[in-house]
Amino acid sequence: FGSFSGLSVSAPKQRGPEFGGMAGIGLGGLVVGAAYRQANYDTFKLMKIGLDIQGVFRYMPYVHPMIRMDVFYARTFDGSPYGPALTNASSNGGGFTLGGGIRVPIVRWVSFSATFDWSFIGLSMQGDNTSGVRLKNGITGQQFGGTFTLTFHFIGVRKD
């Protein structure tokens, strides 16, 4: 996240794990479902919940190229991206993720995938500065990451 009007510091770049889950339905080469993701950083946590869409191209027998897109609601909790410079922070917003990678079938009903993802996030954030003055501002940020998934195909098990 970038600068915040009324604060003397910008949010530092942070690294941390992101985990989540998705439940969806496959419609041929298209998978549509609901997704939850949470990133745990040093000074705060970022939660994303929304719609996940994946396109899987099965023209190759053992490695399937894929693309993915998420549209999500986002919020921070358990702290602030600005650390102790912004206390009692709360935020709401949204964003989207774009990614591409591969899916590899392991057995007929299980597959592994790996994608590289880029997310854009916009939040309306408010909190108190060190003087106790309540501040409100819109902020934007980006995430880059790798996503690794193990997928279980319970309905409509593929033929190949």
Side-chain angles (χ1 to χ4, degrees):
F1 296 105
S3 62
F4 194 99
S5 179
L7 294 180
S8 59
V9 297
S10 291
K13 291 182 180 179
Q14 297 197 26
R15 297 172 190 224
E18 181 176 82
F19 64 90
M22 185 240 190
I25 187 162
L27 309 166
L30 187 68
V31 178
V32 179
Y36 173 86
R37 287 183 173 73
Q38 179 177 314
N40 297 326
Y41 299 117
D42 291 336
T43 60
F44 72 103
K45 293 182 170 98
L46 175 67
M47 183 268 305
K48 301 183 287 187
I49 188 166
L51 177 69
D52 187 271
I53 301 168
Q54 300 176 6
V56 181
F57 306 99
R58 295 184 180 158
Y59 57 85
M60 295 172 62
Y62 300 108
V63 177
H64 308 305
M66 65 179 287
I67 57 173
R68 59 182 294 268
M69 182 183 87
D70 290 354
V71 178
F72 56 81
Y73 163 79
R75 68 182 290 265
T76 61
F77 63 100
D78 284 352
S80 161
Y82 300 92
L86 189 69
T87 58
N88 300 321
S90 64
S91 68
N92 289 292
F96 63 90
T97 299
L98 301 173
I102 59 169
R103 176 174 285 172
V104 180
I106 299 170
V107 295
R108 284 176 39 100
W109 53 276
V110 177
S111 61
F112 169 81
S113 65
T115 61
F116 179 75
D117 304 319
W118 171 74
S119 296
F120 177 81
I121 303 160
L123 297 172
S124 172
M125 179 162 274
Q126 56 186 346
D128 301 329
N129 67 10
T130 54
S131 302
V133 177
R134 190 78 174 160
L135 304 172
K136 184 175 182 179
N137 200 0
I139 60 172
T140 60
Q142 299 180 66
Q143 281 182 311
F144 295 95
T147 301
F148 305 97
T149 63
L150 190 60
T151 305
F152 298 93
H153 311 273
F154 295 116
I155 302 171
V157 176
R158 66 178 190 279
K159 311 259 187 295
D160 56 354

